[in-house]
Amino acid sequence: MMPPFTSDESNSTMTGKILVVDESATSRIVMKVQLSSSFPKVHLAANGQEALEIASRERPDLVVISDALVDFPAADLCRRLRQSSGTAQSTLVVMIGEADRSRRSRLLAAGADDLFARTQPEALLLARLRCLIRARGTEEEMSLRDSTSRAFGLAEAPAAFEQPGTVALITQRSAAALDWHQALTRLSRHDFRPYPISEALRWFQTGGGADVIAIDLDSTTRKSVIRLVVELRSRTATRHSEILLITGDHGNPVLADALDHGANAVMSFGFDPREALLRMETLIRRKQGADRMRRRLQDGLRDSVTDALTGLYNRRYAEPYLERLAEDSRTSGRPFAVVLADIDHFKAVNDAHGHPAGDAVLMVVADLLRDNLRARDLVARFGGEEFLIVMPDTGAAEARIVADRLRKRLAEAPIAVPGRDERIGITISMGACVETLKHDGPVPALVERMIDRADRALYAAKNAGRNAVAMAPSEAAD
């Protein structure tokens, strides 16, 4: 969900192409005048066939369709636009009069994203269009991020699996709450939960959530509605919930404000269970799809910077982290330590006991290092049996003490491995470099030099007989 628009944003020009389809020249002109102040590209079509030709050429982001077309019933035009590759993802809005319930349901089932009353105020028309454009933009951005992550191998694309959704029904009318709940439950497998507004606020404040939150405007004061919408958008559990406003009054003055504060959709012909269910299922699919993409992005990012075996950060994360720390050191003058640690005779463990034993050793060493350092210190698996430790605000004397303590603790704790009754004794060698960066020049090169100095100190520890700590000399002594 995008943040709510401020009053300045509400009056600003929106991006995107709009196609208006209406056989009445007067209606087309009026609509263009209403839209031109907010949308820079408004195309006009006098009938359904012309609309298809323009849509194929222009690929509009949003199509506003009159329900009174002679050559094309609005439902048929919606289906044709949905079947075309150029407009399959376009937002489709149908302008209708007091259409009967079954006709509204047919239009939604044919692919219309929303139904607008012809008699609604201009401010509400623009607020609803802004809301639809924001929703489409958010979906496109999430889809782009998701596909980019998968292109880099950071996330898989599992098959979509729609789960039953949770819908909160908020109304002060107890009879309506019961009727809505019973009607929707008979038609659907989703979980519908009725609340009066005061109880809903308490529920959401304690962390309760829902995929869709349907609010009965006709039983609720303007102040309560706006407060509820703002609360929902400010809380983690409901920040991404879809908010559906239900009213029988096309001109309800609360609608435009509620949309600009973060509501998502309007049902302005009063409650009808079949129409409500169609709208709610669209919102549930949108919410669950966005949730899946967010999870894949988070999982992909975590997997891309984490070593799967040990759970430590990997080199891909550690090097940029070290660069940021080095830049901070150059600015603040505070020292930091870089330690490279390597398990002694690790190849012999694998050769003698197999790779499961080697994996067990790596996991134990990772846990020991992580559990015996400060929360602010970084431990990363740097490759194979090598680990990187980074300690901010740490001088040479402290770095040596910490490294030697880690070395001793590992040497004193033989490791249990799969398939062996006795434990394996493991030691580790460590090379440390401590620096306060005062040099000019690119930070990546300075960091690379520090790692190289720590690596040379590590080899000095290995050459000294292993199970040892060696400190790199200062750069002045190199």
Side-chain angles (χ1 to χ4, degrees):
M1 170 69 197
M2 296 287 285
F5 275 63
T6 64
S7 56
D8 290 340
E9 287 173 310
S10 298
N11 295 322
S12 64
T13 299
M14 297 288 290
T15 58
K17 300 178 184 178
I18 290 187
L19 171 61
V20 175
V21 190
D22 199 311
E23 290 189 344
S24 166
T26 301
S27 297
R28 291 197 303 275
I29 292 170
V30 169
M31 183 66 74
K32 184 170 185 177
V33 170
Q34 290 177 328
L35 298 178
S36 293
S37 61
S38 297
F39 299 93
K41 296 180 180 179
V42 181
H43 300 278
L44 303 178
N47 53 59
Q49 187 58 47
E50 186 179 359
L52 290 172
E53 294 169 2
I54 294 174
S56 176
R57 182 175 68 250
E58 299 294 338
R59 296 174 176 260
D61 300 287
L62 189 148
V63 184
V64 180
I65 304 167
S66 167
D67 70 337
L69 299 177
V70 174
D71 66 330
F72 260 106
D76 289 348
L77 182 56
C78 287
R79 276 189 284 269
R80 289 284 298 274
L81 291 169
R82 282 281 173 255
Q83 292 166 1
S84 171
S85 60
T87 51
Q89 302 304 316
S90 298
T91 300
L92 308 182
V93 172
V94 181
M95 303 293 291
I96 64 176
E98 293 293 335
D100 59 58
R101 292 181 173 187
S102 60
R103 187 176 184 189
R104 295 200 301 270
S105 296
R106 284 197 301 272
L107 287 166
L108 291 169
D113 292 284
D114 213 339
L115 309 176
F116 287 10
R118 292 180 179 276
T119 56
Q120 68 186 341
E122 180 179 344
L124 178 56
L125 168 71
L126 295 177
R128 294 179 75 176
L129 291 177
R130 284 195 298 271
C131 187
L132 288 166
I133 290 289
R134 289 203 303 273
R136 183 177 188 272
T138 301
E139 288 180 339
E140 288 180 344
E141 180 182 358
M142 291 295 294
S143 179
L144 177 61
R145 290 181 182 181
D146 182 58
S147 61
T148 302
S149 294
R150 284 188 277 109
F152 278 99
L154 303 186
E156 296 298 324
F161 176 69
E162 298 296 339
Q163 297 180 338
T166 302
V167 180
L169 304 171
I170 301 176
T171 175
Q172 294 294 88
R173 301 179 292 180
S174 56
L178 181 61
D179 290 344
W180 291 11
H181 181 267
Q182 289 179 342
L184 291 167
T185 301
R186 282 196 300 267
L187 293 172
S188 171
R189 63 197 176 103
H190 301 297
D191 181 14
F192 298 95
R193 303 177 182 179
Y195 299 99
I197 193 166
S198 57
E199 187 179 333
L201 278 170
R202 285 194 296 272
W203 168 248
F204 296 131
Q205 285 168 351
T206 58
D211 292 311
V212 175
I213 301 168
I215 306 173
D216 175 16
L217 297 191
D218 296 338
S219 70
T220 312
T221 65
R222 178 190 182 281
K223 182 178 179 180
S224 297
V225 170
I226 299 302
R227 179 192 171 197
L228 177 58
V229 172
V230 171
E231 284 272 354
L232 294 172
R233 287 293 169 245
S234 68
R235 300 196 174 276
T236 302
T238 55
R239 185 167 299 143
H240 301 297
S241 297
E242 298 284 330
I243 302 175
L244 173 64
L245 308 174
I246 301 176
T247 179
D249 179 8
H250 306 318
N252 191 318
V254 181
L255 288 170
D257 282 348
L259 287 169
D260 281 334
H261 277 85
N264 300 93
V266 173
M267 184 174 169
S268 60
F269 294 92
F271 179 80
D272 168 61
R274 295 189 181 278
E275 180 184 347
L277 184 58
L278 284 166
R279 289 178 176 275
M280 290 172 181
E281 289 189 332
T282 296
L283 296 174
I284 289 169
R285 282 194 298 272
R286 189 162 76 190
K287 162 68 163 50
Q288 293 186 351
D291 286 348
R292 280 195 300 273
M293 282 190 279
R294 273 189 289 271
R295 285 194 298 270
R296 290 204 294 269
L297 288 170
Q298 291 165 358
D299 291 346
L301 178 60
R302 184 181 63 248
D303 291 345
S304 74
V305 298
T306 304
D307 175 58
L309 177 65
T310 63
L312 298 177
Y313 286 116
N314 60 20
R315 187 167 189 155
R316 185 176 190 176
Y317 178 88
E319 289 181 338
Y321 170 87
L322 191 50
E323 290 174 9
R324 290 193 299 272
L325 183 61
E327 186 64 59
D328 179 69
S329 173
R330 189 157 63 177
T331 302
S332 66
R334 295 193 297 267
F336 66 99
V338 173
V339 180
L340 283 175
D342 188 87
I343 299 173
D344 296 328
H345 303 296
F346 182 72
K347 183 176 183 299
V349 174
N350 278 330
D351 290 345
H353 309 293
H355 287 285
D359 289 347
V361 167
L362 288 169
M363 288 187 285
V364 170
V365 171
D367 289 342
L368 183 142
L369 296 177
R370 180 170 43 206
D371 294 344
N372 287 278
L373 288 164
R374 301 170 299 183
R376 64 186 304 194
D377 298 332
L378 172 80
V379 188
R381 187 178 177 190
F382 215 50
E385 66 272 23
E386 192 171 62
F387 298 86
L388 174 76
I389 302 168
V390 182
M391 294 181 281
D393 297 327
T394 302
E398 185 181 359
R400 176 182 279 280
I401 290 171
V402 171
D404 205 50
R405 185 183 73 235
L406 293 170
R407 178 194 64 77
K408 288 179 180 177
R409 290 197 176 178
L410 182 62
E412 294 167 355
I415 298 172
V417 297
R420 287 184 62 92
D421 295 330
E422 71 275 18
R423 294 171 176 259
I424 299 177
I426 294 295
T427 62
I428 196 166
S429 298
M430 311 179 85
C433 173
V434 177
E435 193 64 73
T436 301
L437 290 184
K438 299 177 182 177
H439 310 282
D440 294 328
V443 167
L446 298 174
V447 166
E448 185 178 350
R449 191 156 65 238
M450 282 194 72
I451 293 174
D452 180 66
R453 292 171 60 214
D455 192 46
R456 281 185 278 157
L458 171 61
Y459 274 96
K462 294 279 190 182
N463 291 334
R466 295 182 170 82
N467 190 24
V469 174
M471 300 293 298
S474 67
E475 282 206 302
D478 278 359

